[in-house]
Structures are given as C-alpha cells and as structure tokens.
Amino acid sequence: MDQIGQGGSARIQQSPVNIQIDLAFKRLTPMAGGPPDEIALYRALTTEIGVLGHRGIADHPNILKLEGVCWDTDSFDDKVYPVLVFEKAAYGDLTSFRRSDLFQHLDAADKMLICAQVANAVASMHSFELEGTLGFEGKNPSNSRFSTRNDKHLEDVTSMNRVCLAANRTIKSLKGLSHDQENRLLTLFDLTLSSDPSNRTNDMRDLIHLMYNQQHDIWINAAGDVPEVIPPGLEVDFKVGPNLDQFAKADHQVRRQILHSLEEQFACFQNPRTAFEIALCSRLGFGGSADERKCQGWLSKSERGAQELDSEIDTIRSRKQWQFASKKIHLLTEKGFIHWAHFSEHRTNEALRVAEVECVREVADMQNILGETHLVVLIFRTTLALLLERQGRLDDSLHIQKSLVADFENDADYGPDHASTLTSVSNLAHTLLSLGRFEEAELTTRKVYAKSQSLLGAEAPYTLVSGNNLATALQHLGRYSEASKIHETVLQTRRRVMGVGNVATLTSMNNYAQLLSLEGKFDEAEKAHIICIKELQTILGFEHPFVLACQNNLAEVYESQGRLDDAEKLGRTILQTKDRVLGPRHPSTLNTLNNLALVLQAQKRLVEAKQMQTCSLMGSEQLFGTEHPATLTSIGNLASILDALDEAEAAETMQQRTVALSRQILGEKHPDTLIHSSNWAWMLAAQRRMEEANDLFQCILATFEGSLGDDHYLTRACWKVTLQW
C-alpha cells in the first residue's frame, strides 16, 4: 500500500478497492522510530476508537468517520497490531491537498475557512484529551521535544500555524481578505510565532476565533466555543460487545491488552461503565479465563444488575453476521475486498503453542456462553485450525476444518452458499494441499470457484482468488494445461478490472510465471518474473516481502536455466535484504538460505553449501521444532550435501531419519515423503546397493502412479530413473 501521510502518532497508507472507493489505513507508530510499546499502542487504540465512535466526533463534519478495524503485522517485530480503516479523503493529507491545483486556485478567504475547519477538528479532539494530533509538512509532534499535555497542545497550535503559513505564503496570496480578516491573520501569526514564549497561546480555540468567517457555518456553537462533549478528565467509552467479532480475528495478546487497558481505566477513573465492560469480559472469557466470581465483583462496581449483563449477552448471541462500523465495510468484506489477518506468520513454534493453548481456552469459554456455532466461536475455531497447521500438525488442523465446514453448511444463518462457508471450504482445501491430497483439494477448490462465479460474478475479487487456488491444485496434479487456462483467465480479468499496475494483477502474473517454469518454459517465465518484479518495486518498494518472494522465484528460474552465477548473485542480494528487513530467523529468510545452499551445491562448492544448509537447519529447528515439514526439508538437503562430500554414513542416517519423520507427519503418499525417499534411494545406488535402491524406487513409482497419475512430472521422472537402472 502507498503511504499518503504521517501523523503525530501514526502513518497513513491507502489501498484502492475499486474505481470509486479508496480506503485509508492508519497504523499506530512507536515513539521515535523505536520498538513498539504495546501498552501505549493499545491504550492509544482503545482511546481513539472510543473517541471516534462518540456521537460528537462521529458526526463532526471535519473528521473522517472510522469505518472499521483490521489487523496486520508490524515491521518492528512479529506481532499483530491494530490498523484503523477510514474512507480515504478525496485529496489525501494536508500536504497533498495544499499542492493540488484545486487548492492553488482557491481565494484567501476559502483557504482560511479550510484552516479554520482543520483547527476546529483538532480542538474537538483536544476536548477528549487527545493532544499532539496534528502533524504537517513531515513534522511529527509525538517525536518532538514536546512531551507534556500542555506542550502537546502548544505543538498542535504551532502545527496549525504552519498550515496557515502554507496557505498564505506571500502577501500577494492575502488578496481577497478584508481588512479585518487580514488583521485577524496577522494576530494569529503573532500568537504562534512570538519570540517571547509567554505570549504564545496553547488554546486552539483562540485560533478558531481569529480564522472564523461569519459567512460560513463551521462546527462551533452560538457562544463561539468548541463544545466539550466529554468533560476534561473523564475517560471515553469503550464497548467490547459491538466489537467482539472484530477483536476475535486478532491475536490473543490484543484481547488480553484491551482487558488490561480497561482495568487501568477503572483504576484511574472509577467509572461504572468501565466496570460493566470488565464484567462482560469476565463472563465471556475475553482477554482472560472466564470467571463468574470476578464477573459478579465487577458487576457490583458497575452499579448495574445481572439482568442488564444477561441482556448484553443475549444481544451478542443474536448477532450472527460480521459487524462493522458501516454497511459499506460489511459489503466490501463479503465481496472479498478486505481480508483479516488472524495472527503473525513469523512466530516460533513455542509462541504458536502458547497461542494454541490460549485459543483452546477461548473456544471453550466462548462456546459455553455463546454456543458452538456462534460467529465468534467459529472465528476462534478457525484460528485454532490455522495455528495447528502452522505448527505442522496437519491432521489435527484438518479435523477442525472439516467440522467447521459442516457447521457453516448446516447452520440456517449461513448455509452452503454463504461467503463465510466458502472461506472455510477454501481453508480446508489449503490444508488438503499441504497434506498432499491433491485430488481432494482440486475437487474442493473447484466447488468454491464454481459457487463464487455463480453467487458473486466472474469478476469479483473472491472469485479470482478461488480461481487462483484451483489453478494451484491443478499444478500439483501436473495438469498444467488446465491450470494455465485458469491462470490466464484470472490474469486477464484482473488486468481489465483492476489495471496492469495493481498488486493483485501482479500476483496473478507471478503465479502464471511459476507455472511456466514448471512447464519448462524458463525464458518465458524469466520475462514474466522480471516485468512483475519491476512493477511491484514501483508500487511496494524494493524491500517489501512480496517483492523479495518474487525475486526468489526468479533466482530459481536462473538455477533451472543453469545460470548458477546469476542465481547465486540474486540469491545473496535477497538474503542480505531479508536478513536486514525480516530478520535472520524469519521463515522467508531461512527459505532463501536453503535455496542458496542448493545453488552452491550445484556449483560443487560443497563446503560452503554445507555451512549454509547447516545454518538453515539450525534456524528451522529453533523456529519450528525438529518435526516440522520445513525442518525435514532442511535435514534432507543437508543429507544430500553430506553424501556428495563422501560422508556416506552420516548422510544415510540423516536421510533415513528424514524419511521416517516425513512418513509419520505427512504420510507415506505425500510428495515430500516420496522425494525424501527418492533421495535415499539415490544414496543407496551410489553405494552400489542396487537391489535395495531399485526396490525403494519401485515403491515410490507405484505410489506416484496411484496418487498423481501416469502423466504427472514426478511420475515421469521416477520412470526415467527406473529405466536407467
């Protein structure tokens, strides 16, 4: 997403939804570019949501309306942080608008009216004790020398002065102002630029009075004061119930921190409304274990009765669909425009296990109160399945995925054609692919693709994603011709609907290039990858993870073409960038390390390859554990290098271990298991143990023929080997 602004406490990015709608995403930022202070970030989140949701702010004509909340990983660490969703202002931030042709042709009076409206919005925020909200021309108040509340008020006033100066840079630009208006503007500059600090104002309302034009209706009351909707010192409301489904999609640490923030608020302000929200959390198990005794204790502090809490629970129970701040966001999500991240993919197995334990607890607590098929419970069950899959526990994940699909399909509020049902079926298909059950995955994705076309239309984003998933399943089955047709259809549709320079379009191009590589059309694949990478670098930047992933695909093409020097050079560049941007223990970094080791092995630089592959293996074991599929791949690759170094005994022991674990974890028919077995057979053949090698290859061939068919490229490769023997 393109960055379109930098505020006092956040950076703003945009993402086009379609021709008519752009969304702006506000990501809270840490102080002074350092690592995030989680408590401060979540406190800022709960405060801002509460403020923006208040009627006095939500109805304010000069403040954009909060449309919803989504979740994304932060570049500083591997954790999920909240992102606030707004409809993008037509002319971007203040800096962009000031530079636009429209602004340049406004007369001075209209420019000052705009300045007054900006000041009015900031003053309204000040009435909620939100200071340091106005950053302009690259100045970030939160990172400046201003730290106290009074100082931050002063910094906002100073920033407001910069806005007025930018609007009226020359005396000539004052043409069109009356004598009184000109005097007001000069007085404003005196109040904010005085060399004597004691003469400067820190009250935004002083500036509003100076900028206010009686011919225009701006948001101040008859007395000329900005209304203080909430008295100073009183904390803002924050309700868990209406936002429960959105927070259920987040990492468990988000919910725990929200509960902690509510408890902190009560400790400071003793507000009964906050106590009621904590009582609700204690009943539901939101942010911590469900505890009825704690619930009753907080309920007594709330000055409200059990009947009101039961009524709140009943309201949550009756809510069966996604809840958003507007119908527009609801529609965009249902159509597949907006996707939610459940948790970071950059987690160690230890952290994933902690998240799993917490998720199991949340499923049990929420299910006890809301029922097994309530939306929030279904979200938690989906998260649990994904957590298990990330840990390599594919069979456990598959069991939950199947039960989810059955519950969605049989529930009267959803049914087989609901978007949530189709999403659950897609998740099931992904797990089947990971398990190597390609035929089942193909049938499942085909079902989703057909229903998406029928219900949403051939050009809907979700339909195109489903088409891509089907093509991927067909690729795994070796049915390249069918996969190619679907990839081409999706690519052409995205080019026509979203444009050539859209990220989704370029994703389709990358997928199509990978298929060309599988078909052996390396020159065509190379050209497609290069075009894709150049466009993505322009849109996302040179260090974006997706750009690096596409470069990694290009390096693999170079290796397939025998251009090992080019593959090594690009691989090392990617590795250095990933190591700096993502960190040395990121899964993507370890994958590049593994690929580069294979290139060195192909160059016969076996000692270097061994060192690099050993580093990759150690990283995988630390990140995923010893029995994760990614770790098994590293073990197998290291065994192959050891065999080439004539360390036959160590190589065979390692390869036998890989085959045994792969059979145990993935199953005997999984392609990875068969590839590990094939490598073991090659080792046996190199030791002149031809009978053992031949028997093993015959078993592999029979499995490939039975599961993938005679025409699959792996089956044909296996036939070629057996004929050579």
Side-chain angles (χ1 to χ4, degrees):
M1 293 185 288
D2 298 330
Q3 182 156 322
I4 57 173
Q6 177 74 42
S9 61
R11 65 182 187 274
I12 315 295
Q13 295 174 293
Q14 70 172 341
S15 178
V17 174
N18 56 28
I19 296 174
Q20 292 81 24
I21 300 173
D22 274 0
L23 292 179
F25 296 85
K26 181 175 182 178
R27 301 164 186 270
L28 300 178
T29 55
M31 296 290 286
D37 178 346
E38 290 186 56
I39 293 177
L41 287 179
Y42 288 119
R43 185 182 292 117
L45 165 74
T46 54
T47 300
E48 185 154 355
I49 289 178
V51 170
L52 292 174
H54 194 283
R55 182 178 59 81
I57 294 297
D59 296 337
H60 200 293
N62 307 131
I63 299 176
L64 286 173
K65 185 176 180 181
L66 177 66
E67 300 283 9
V69 180
C70 61
W71 311 91
D72 199 4
T73 54
D74 192 272
S75 59
F76 290 94
D77 54 27
D78 61 359
K79 295 180 180 178
V80 170
Y81 290 99
V83 180
L84 304 183
V85 183
F86 302 84
E87 184 171 346
K88 176 178 169 286
Y91 297 98
D93 62 4
L94 282 171
T95 302
S96 301
F97 178 54
R98 185 182 63 78
R99 294 169 179 168
S100 68
D101 290 338
L102 176 62
F103 185 84
Q104 299 302 324
H105 288 89
L106 292 176
D107 61 28
D110 285 334
K111 289 179 181 179
M112 288 310 300
L113 172 62
I114 292 172
C115 293
Q117 291 169 337
V118 172
N120 186 43
V122 175
S124 295
M125 297 300 238
H126 283 181
S127 71
F128 287 85
E129 299 186 11
L130 286 181
E131 300 86 17
T133 59
L134 182 61
F136 183 62
E137 297 287 304
K139 309 295 191 301
N140 190 339
S142 293
N143 294 338
S144 72
R145 64 187 183 280
F146 297 92
S147 56
T148 67
R149 274 194 67 198
N150 189 64
D151 285 343
K152 289 182 179 179
H153 264 83
L154 184 58
E155 174 65 1
D156 276 338
V157 172
T158 304
S159 292
M160 192 64 240
N161 174 69
R162 287 198 294 266
V163 174
C164 296
L165 280 175
N168 303 278
R169 287 193 178 277
T170 65
I171 295 298
K172 184 179 179 181
S173 68
L174 299 180
K175 186 178 180 181
L177 288 179
S178 66
H179 180 71
D180 177 64
Q181 290 169 333
E182 187 173 328
N183 285 336
R184 284 171 177 261
L185 182 60
L186 294 175
T187 303
L188 182 152
F189 291 154
D190 286 339
L191 282 174
T192 54
L193 295 176
S194 174
S195 58
D196 183 356
S198 63
N199 292 333
R200 300 176 195 164
T201 182
N202 68 347
D203 193 336
M204 190 68 69
R205 288 173 292 189
D206 291 340
L207 305 191
I208 293 176
H209 289 308
L210 290 170
M211 292 183 285
Y212 180 54
N213 185 335
Q214 296 294 337
Q215 296 176 352
H216 296 277
D217 179 23
I218 65 173
W219 196 255
I220 55 179
N221 63 19
D225 294 323
V226 177
E228 292 183 351
V229 184
I230 292 184
L234 181 65
E235 85 280 17
V236 298
D237 288 326
F238 178 79
K239 293 188 176 182
V240 171
N243 301 291
L244 186 59
D245 56 340
Q246 297 190 45
F247 289 125
K249 304 182 191 83
D251 188 272
H252 67 95
Q253 296 173 88
V254 175
R255 293 180 289 279
R256 198 169 283 279
Q257 185 57 49
I258 288 171
L259 176 59
H260 178 68
S261 296
L262 288 170
E263 291 170 340
E264 276 195 336
Q265 280 192 11
F266 184 83
C268 292
F269 302 106
Q270 302 293 311
N271 191 322
R273 289 173 296 182
T274 305
F276 185 79
E277 292 303 314
I278 301 173
L280 177 63
C281 293
S282 300
R283 173 71 63 84
L284 291 171
F286 180 97
S289 297
D291 190 323
E292 190 58 29
R293 189 173 66 176
K294 284 185 178 180
C295 173
Q296 294 303 320
W298 283 108
L299 192 59
S300 66
K301 297 175 183 177
S302 74
E303 302 175 2
R304 296 167 71 174
Q307 188 175 356
E308 291 180 84
L309 181 61
D310 292 340
S311 176
E312 183 74 14
I313 295 289
D314 288 339
T315 300
I316 296 172
R317 283 198 191 103
S318 66
R319 190 177 296 133
K320 285 287 191 174
Q321 302 295 335
W322 310 104
Q323 297 296 306
F324 299 97
S326 72
K327 291 182 179 179
K328 182 187 298 180
I329 297 294
H330 174 83
L331 176 64
L332 295 175
T333 303
E334 288 291 306
K335 292 291 186 181
F337 286 107
I338 296 176
H339 302 280
W340 305 86
H342 292 271
F343 47 83
S344 170
E345 66 177 355
H346 319 147
R347 304 278 287 278
T348 64
N349 249 25
E350 181 181 355
L352 288 170
R353 281 192 290 271
V354 170
E356 177 198 345
V357 170
E358 187 68 12
C359 192
V360 168
R361 193 234 2 122
E362 289 177 312
V363 168
D365 284 347
M366 296 283 183
Q367 189 169 288
N368 183 51
I369 300 297
L370 303 176
E372 188 175 5
T373 59
H374 189 274
L375 170 64
V376 170
V377 177
L378 294 172
I379 292 171
F380 282 130
R381 289 167 62 194
T382 300
T383 300
L384 179 58
L386 295 175
L387 281 165
L388 293 169
E389 183 174 345
R390 292 286 170 85
Q391 294 177 72
R393 295 161 57 186
L394 300 176
D395 286 328
D396 293 338
S397 177
L398 183 67
H399 176 74
I400 296 176
Q401 301 270 18
K402 286 184 174 180
S403 67
L404 278 166
V405 170
D407 286 341
F408 273 120
E409 289 181 337
N410 296 326
D411 194 296
D413 291 298
Y414 297 99
D417 295 337
H418 193 275
S420 298
T421 307
L422 296 179
T423 300
S424 187
V425 175
S426 293
N427 292 338
L428 172 62
H430 184 273
T431 305
L432 289 169
L433 279 175
S434 299
L435 281 164
R437 294 163 62 171
F438 300 137
E439 290 185 351
E440 293 177 71
E442 185 260 332
L443 291 173
T444 304
T445 52
R446 191 177 293 279
K447 171 184 174 183
V448 174
Y449 187 42
K451 286 197 173 184
S452 298
Q453 288 177 310
S454 173
L455 297 171
L456 303 176
E459 297 183 351
Y462 191 87
T463 302
L464 299 175
V465 171
S466 301
N468 177 73
N469 294 340
L470 175 57
T472 301
L474 291 168
Q475 283 177 210
H476 282 292
L477 286 167
R479 291 157 62 178
Y480 298 140
S481 178
E482 294 177 70
S484 179
K485 289 178 182 178
I486 296 174
H487 272 313
E488 287 180 359
T489 299
V490 172
L491 178 57
Q492 294 303 324
T493 303
R494 281 179 165 166
R495 279 175 172 165
R496 183 176 67 256
V497 175
M498 301 177 180
V500 177
N502 185 274
V503 174
T505 304
L506 297 169
T507 301
S508 290
M509 184 181 293
N510 175 69
N511 295 337
Y512 186 51
Q514 288 181 286
L515 175 60
L516 291 171
S517 183
L518 285 173
E519 291 179 303
K521 301 175 181 178
F522 300 122
D523 290 342
E524 294 178 58
E526 179 192 355
K527 291 177 183 177
H529 275 309
I530 290 173
I531 293 172
C532 182
I533 290 167
K534 286 182 178 179
E535 290 287 342
L536 286 170
Q537 286 174 333
T538 301
I539 299 170
L540 302 176
F542 286 79
E543 297 184 347
H544 190 280
F546 185 48
V547 174
L548 299 175
C550 292
Q551 287 179 315
N552 195 73
N553 294 336
L554 177 59
E556 290 180 3
V557 171
Y558 288 155
E559 184 181 359
S560 299
Q561 292 172 314
R563 296 164 56 184
L564 299 179
D565 290 343
D566 291 336
E568 181 194 356
K569 182 179 178 181
L570 181 56
R572 289 190 183 278
T573 300
I574 298 167
L575 181 62
Q576 289 173 0
T577 306
K578 285 185 176 181
D579 194 63
R580 185 178 70 257
V581 175
L582 302 176
R585 294 181 60 215
H586 189 283
S588 183
T589 306
L590 295 175
N591 180 57
T592 298
L593 193 65
N594 175 75
N595 292 342
L596 189 53
L598 294 176
V599 172
L600 294 173
Q601 183 181 358
Q603 293 174 316
K604 307 300 182 183
R605 295 158 61 182
L606 299 177
V607 175
E608 293 177 75
K610 178 183 176 181
Q611 292 174 342
M612 193 164 286
Q613 195 62 255
T614 300
C615 290
S616 176
L617 174 58
M618 291 174 62
S620 292
E621 287 179 333
Q622 291 174 0
L623 187 64
F624 300 119
T626 57
E627 298 184 355
H628 191 278
T631 305
L632 297 181
T633 297
S634 290
I635 295 173
N637 291 340
L638 181 56
S640 176
I641 295 171
L642 292 176
D643 186 53
L645 284 166
D646 294 328
E647 300 180 33
E649 185 175 347
E652 184 178 356
T653 300
M654 191 171 286
Q655 194 64 53
Q656 282 180 312
R657 174 191 168 201
T658 304
V659 171
L661 286 173
S662 190
R663 286 172 176 171
Q664 175 188 331
I665 297 166
L666 301 175
E668 294 192 1
K669 296 182 179 180
H670 193 281
D672 285 358
T673 303
L674 297 173
I675 290 171
H676 294 317
S677 299
S678 176
N679 292 336
W680 185 19
W682 275 109
M683 289 182 187
L684 294 172
Q687 297 172 31
R688 303 299 180 186
R689 296 158 61 181
M690 301 305 297
E691 185 175 350
E692 294 176 72
N694 188 59
D695 289 345
L696 185 53
F697 254 116
Q698 290 296 334
C699 291
I700 296 168
L701 177 59
T703 306
F704 274 136
E705 287 178 330
S707 60
L708 301 178
D710 294 343
D711 293 332
H712 195 277
Y713 74 99
L714 289 174
T715 306
R716 293 198 301 270
C718 199
W719 262 113
K720 186 176 181 180
V721 171
T722 54
L723 290 174
Q724 289 176 348
W725 289 357

